[in-house]
Amino acid sequence: MTERIVAANIGLTLDGRYNGPGGPTDAAAIVRYATTDVARDHLTRLWENATTAVLGRRNAEGFLAYWPTVAADDTADPRDRAYAKWLADTDKVVLSTTVTDAPWEHTRMVNAPAAEVVTELKATGTGEILVNSSPTVIKDLLAADLIDRLYLLICPEIADGGQRLFDDGLPDSRWTIAHHEVGELGEITLTYDRVR
């Protein structure tokens, strides 16, 4: 058995931020680009080979409030519905130091460092492990050099505040582009693979 690939997806502004100056819920500079055709096709690519989703607690709670309604909405974009159904049906690992009861079916709550959990997941099962829009988890895994693929949605705005994904102090790494597309609003979807 080969070791599983760890992929991570996130939307970023041109200045590398995953939220705006209003804090963790300020996603105005990203949300408007997440519903374009290019972004929705990107969403489909990132989950099509994944069999496990890894989420931080805050992100899991946000997803739980939103995606089940999309799965049940016959008028929703078919790509969004397919992702929502995948998310409901796939195995999920939610990292939390405060919540112990799983909020979804097929969900395991874990109170352990992200690198330790993902290293264990890599050694078992099949299919990609998708770290799903959870910046704190992604940062920890980048610091541990455990990410093999990055799915990025780059939004053509400068947030002028907010948190950045790529902090100083990350280990040196080299990446190659596996896929990219440019949307009508200037958004760019990028898939980078880690060169090892």
Side-chain angles (χ1 to χ4, degrees), residues 81-96:
R81 287 191 74 202
Y83 171 75
K85 289 177 181 179
W86 168 81
L87 191 59
D89 294 340
T90 200
D91 291 330
K92 291 168 283 298
V93 176
V94 176
L95 302 175
S96 176

Side-chain angles (χ1 to χ4, degrees), residues 10 20 25 37 44 64 66 69 108 152 161 175 186-188 193:
I10 197 160
T25 60
D37 280 335
T44 300
L64 180 59
Y66 179 74
T69 62
R108 179 169 54 111
L152 302 176
W175 301 78
E187 73 280 11
I188 302 171
D193 286 336

Side-chain angles (χ1 to χ4, degrees), residues 82-144:
Y83 171 75
K85 289 177 181 179
W86 168 81
L87 191 59
D89 294 340
T90 200
D91 291 330
K92 291 168 283 298
V93 176
V94 176
L95 302 175
S96 176
T97 58
T98 58
V99 177
T100 56
D101 293 332
W104 275 331
E105 288 185 64
H106 313 290
T107 303
R108 179 169 54 111
M109 303 300 292
V110 179
N111 180 358
E116 180 181 306
V117 172
V118 168
T119 297
E120 179 183 313
L121 289 171
K122 282 177 66 101
T124 60
T126 59
E128 288 185 11
I129 300 161
L130 178 62
V131 183
N132 212 345
S133 296
S134 296
T136 304
V137 177
I138 295 170
K139 285 181 176 194
D140 289 349
L141 297 178
L142 283 168

Side-chain angles (χ1 to χ4, degrees), residues 5-89:
I5 289 175
V6 179
N9 77 294
I10 197 160
L12 300 172
T13 60
L14 285 178
D15 52 344
R17 301 176 193 276
Y18 54 87
N19 61 32
T25 60
D26 181 0
I30 295 169
V31 169
R32 74 188 76 194
Y33 305 98
T35 58
T36 66
D37 280 335
V38 165
R40 283 185 163 127
D41 290 343
H42 180 68
L43 181 69
T44 300
R45 271 190 303 281
L46 65 91
W47 66 262
E48 65 188 355
N49 294 318
T51 57
T52 304
V54 175
L55 301 143
R57 179 196 50 85
R58 277 190 218 127
N59 204 44
E61 288 172 349
F63 278 24
L64 180 59
Y66 179 74
W67 286 108
T69 62
V70 174
D73 182 356
D74 291 338
T75 65
D77 186 284
R79 293 163 293 189
D80 292 349
R81 287 191 74 202
Y83 171 75
K85 289 177 181 179
W86 168 81
L87 191 59
D89 294 340

